[in-house]
Amino acid sequence: QVQFVESGGGLVQPGGSLRLSCTASGFTFSRYVMTWYRQAPGKERELVASISSPGNIRSYADSVKGRFTISRDNAKNTVYLQMNSLKPEDTAVYYCNALRSGATDYWGQGTQVTVSS
């Protein structure tokens, strides 16, 4: 059974930092591309950052480049999102996603990030 445990969300002031974690089980984590998405109220879900299965290729949305860093630890079945210099517009529910060509993709339950003074 596929399961995700997402953590690290919360309330932070503008300019602050948070580190999200997503720990997976029930599938071969190391074979999947891992991606963080986010969805703000009234908006469509958008891709934030993605990392290849071995972890050597990363990509980011323009809105977070230079502020967010995605990483993974395949030994711990965990993907991380380090978020620095947070802005109010980063407020959203953040989801992790696991994708592999030709296979079903999987979604985490989401963790709320609120950036407000």
Side-chain angles (χ1 to χ4, degrees):
Q1 183 178 357
V2 173
Q3 290 186 328
F4 291 90
V5 177
E6 295 188 33
S7 61
L11 173 64
V12 64
Q13 292 187 343
S17 298
L18 286 173
R19 188 193 194 206
L20 305 184
S21 299
C22 172
T23 300
S25 61
F27 63 97
T28 308
F29 179 83
S30 61
R31 295 182 180 178
Y32 282 71
V33 173
M34 295 301 298
T35 301
W36 286 97
Y37 289 82
R38 67 186 181 187
Q39 187 166 20
K43 295 187 176 181
E44 294 186 355
R45 190 171 295 187
E46 64 172 347
L47 186 150
V48 176
S50 187
I51 187 167
S52 62
S53 52
N56 59 328
I57 300 173
R58 300 174 175 88
S59 62
Y60 299 92
D62 288 343
S63 58
V64 306
K65 279 182 182 176
R67 299 188 298 122
F68 290 12
T69 302
I70 189 171
S71 61
R72 67 190 294 162
D73 185 338
N74 285 345
K76 296 182 178 180
N77 286 2
T78 301
V79 60
Y80 305 96
L81 186 68
Q82 177 67 44
M83 305 186 295
N84 299 327
S85 303
L86 283 160
K87 305 175 181 180
E89 50 264 43
D90 295 317
T91 295
V93 178
Y94 284 71
Y95 300 89
C96 61
N97 170 270
L99 179 66
R100 179 185 176 193
S101 178
T104 303
D105 68 329
Y106 306 116
W107 289 90
Q109 78 282 2
T111 184
Q112 176 70 46
V113 171
T114 302
V115 185
S116 175
S117 54

